Amino acid sequence: MSAQPSDNYDAFLSRLDAAATSLNARAAALDKGFTAVSLLLGPYESGVRTWEERRHYVSGQLAGHAGSSQSYTALGELHDVAVKMESMLRDRLRHVQDKLAVMQDRRESIHRSLLELELSRKKLQSSRLLSQDRKKLSTIFSSLAGSTVAVSA
């Protein structure tokens, strides 16, 4: 009787499990980073609103100004500061939103890869079962063929 061929399915399944474990670790780290970066949205959004309100208020003060030229100049400077701060915070907010979009794309990519690995795992397990069934059927047919030869002799 010849030695049974080794079962490579375990090795392949092991590789799939290792890849899934690695991807799950990356996904967990990415989730933590995503949560941390998300925390920046609130303060930046609030800052943009605050400086936008200040800019509108100072614009109104400038439009209705009836005081000295010094106070008008001071209001103009305050308006310039409000414009610059609002712009800077909008840029930072946009940058954080862009980072979050990239991180979300990575999360989705990892999720797709994990689904593909799971599908491959199921296909491999199915293939393994089919191979085992074929081997059993072959053994049964060989046994039956051997027994009919022995009976007819």
Side-chain angles (χ1 to χ4, degrees), residues 73-98:
T73 302
L75 284 172
E77 289 173 3
L78 286 174
H79 185 267
D80 291 345
V81 168
V83 167
K84 288 177 184 172
M85 290 300 294
E86 181 185 351
S87 174
M88 178 194 69
L89 289 170
R90 271 193 205 286
D91 288 345
R92 288 185 182 176
L93 178 61
R94 200 172 308 113
H95 179 72
V96 169
Q97 289 168 333
D98 291 346

Side-chain angles (χ1 to χ4, degrees), residues 26-47:
R26 286 177 53 197
L30 194 55
D31 285 344
K32 284 182 182 179
F34 188 87
T35 301
V37 173
S38 295
L39 294 174
L40 297 172
L41 285 176
Y44 283 139
E45 289 170 340
S46 175

Side-chain angles (χ1 to χ4, degrees), residues 51-107:
W51 282 102
E52 185 177 39
E53 290 168 3
R54 288 179 187 167
R55 180 180 53 79
H56 285 298
Y57 176 77
V58 173
S59 290
Q61 293 293 312
L62 280 170
H65 186 268
S68 70
S69 65
Q70 281 183 322
S71 64
Y72 187 82
T73 302
L75 284 172
E77 289 173 3
L78 286 174
H79 185 267
D80 291 345
V81 168
V83 167
K84 288 177 184 172
M85 290 300 294
E86 181 185 351
S87 174
M88 178 194 69
L89 289 170
R90 271 193 205 286
D91 288 345
R92 288 185 182 176
L93 178 61
R94 200 172 308 113
H95 179 72
V96 169
Q97 289 168 333
D98 291 346
K99 288 287 183 194
L100 287 172
V102 168
M103 293 173 91
Q104 183 61 35
D105 287 346
R106 287 182 184 160
R107 289 167 82 187

